[in-house]
Amino acid sequence: MKFICIVISFLLIGCASLDNTQTERITFKEYESQINKEKFSNLSLSAKITLFIEKKGFTGKLIWSTKNNESNISILNPFNSTISKVYLNKENNSLQISNLSNNKKEIESNIRKIFGNKETVFIIEQMIMNPPAQLTNTNLVTLTYKDWVINYEGIKSKGEESFPKYIELNKNEITLKIYIVDWKID
């Protein structure tokens, strides 16, 4: 009898802990109408990343720093060695990739597969650094842009500002998962 009471208690507790999160879907046009592009001109993030291109996977770290219309993105392997750096300059709309590893061509090819053309790189940067206003701890947001589906989850607060904890970018057979460890506002 005691055993049956314990089992029923566990079942009731398990049913009571349903997740109350919901996902709101928005288009890029809706997103663009609500954001302030100049809100965070000096911002950086550090994150753990998981990347899948077709069936190949990669894990590592990402350090992304934006300051005065220039961004520096460092991609590190799991052992904290820099394997590639990407430099973005919004003023002259330039993109540079410098590879520091042995398989330079493969890394550069993968970076170009992920981000595509320059326009897409700057838009993805904007979507990472300036998340949708609808994002809360209980409201997940899915944003669509061309072939991209961007999922936002959770909130990290820095002062009065809120940033996402997790961002997942999906395009065709590419999935980039970004688990943000820290945000910094300079």
Side-chain angles (χ1 to χ4, degrees):
M1 183 69 173
K2 210 182 228 186
F3 176 73
I4 293 174
C5 290
I6 292 171
V7 170
I8 291 173
S9 297
F10 281 127
L11 289 174
L12 290 174
I13 291 170
C15 293
S17 63
L18 293 174
D19 196 46
N20 288 338
T21 58
Q22 52 187 340
T23 301
E24 185 169 343
R25 298 187 181 283
I26 62 172
T27 64
F28 184 72
K29 190 174 183 176
E30 293 169 313
Y31 166 77
E32 209 170 29
S33 69
Q34 72 185 11
I35 63 159
N36 177 359
K37 293 180 184 180
E38 301 302 317
K39 186 174 180 182
F40 301 113
S41 58
N42 299 329
L43 181 66
S44 61
L45 70 90
S46 59
K48 294 178 182 179
I49 60 170
T50 304
L51 170 66
F52 294 97
I53 298 176
E54 295 166 0
K55 294 185 180 185
K56 285 186 173 182
F58 167 82
T59 60
K61 295 183 181 177
L62 179 76
I63 299 171
W64 195 317
S65 177
T66 301
K67 191 170 196 163
N68 301 327
N69 286 326
E70 293 182 0
S71 292
N72 296 315
I73 306 164
S74 297
I75 302 168
L76 296 87
N77 67 19
F79 305 107
N80 289 332
S81 297
T82 304
I83 59 170
S84 187
K85 290 190 177 209
V86 179
Y87 303 98
L88 306 174
N89 188 322
K90 292 177 193 161
E91 289 180 8
N92 62 14
N93 198 29
S94 68
L95 164 70
Q96 293 179 333
I97 301 171
S98 91
N99 294 314
L100 307 170
S101 73
N102 296 338
N103 48 352
K104 292 179 180 185
K105 288 184 181 181
E106 182 183 1
I107 290 171
E108 190 166 333
S109 170
N110 287 339
I111 289 171
R112 294 199 186 279
K113 274 185 194 176
I114 296 164
F115 293 114
N117 62 25
K118 288 182 196 176
E119 175 191 328
T120 305
V121 172
F122 289 105
I123 290 172
I124 289 174
E125 177 189 37
Q126 173 186 318
M127 291 186 290
I128 289 172
M129 296 297 188
N130 208 341
Q134 294 90 335
L135 181 65
T136 66
N137 275 325
T138 57
N139 192 39
L140 312 179
V141 177
T142 297
L143 170 62
T144 55
Y145 171 73
K146 294 186 179 179
D147 293 340
W148 287 98
V149 176
I150 298 96
N151 297 304
Y152 299 87
E153 186 177 316
I155 293 283
K156 276 189 176 268
S157 296
K158 286 286 180 178
E160 295 180 18
E161 302 298 336
S162 295
F163 300 99
K165 286 183 182 178
Y166 173 76
I167 304 169
E168 181 178 299
L169 297 101
N170 294 292
K171 173 185 156 188
N172 302 327
E173 293 189 24
I174 298 170
T175 300
L176 175 61
K177 297 178 181 185
I178 305 171
Y179 306 90
I180 290 103
V181 175
D182 192 26
W183 287 96
K184 292 182 184 169
I185 304 171
D186 297 329

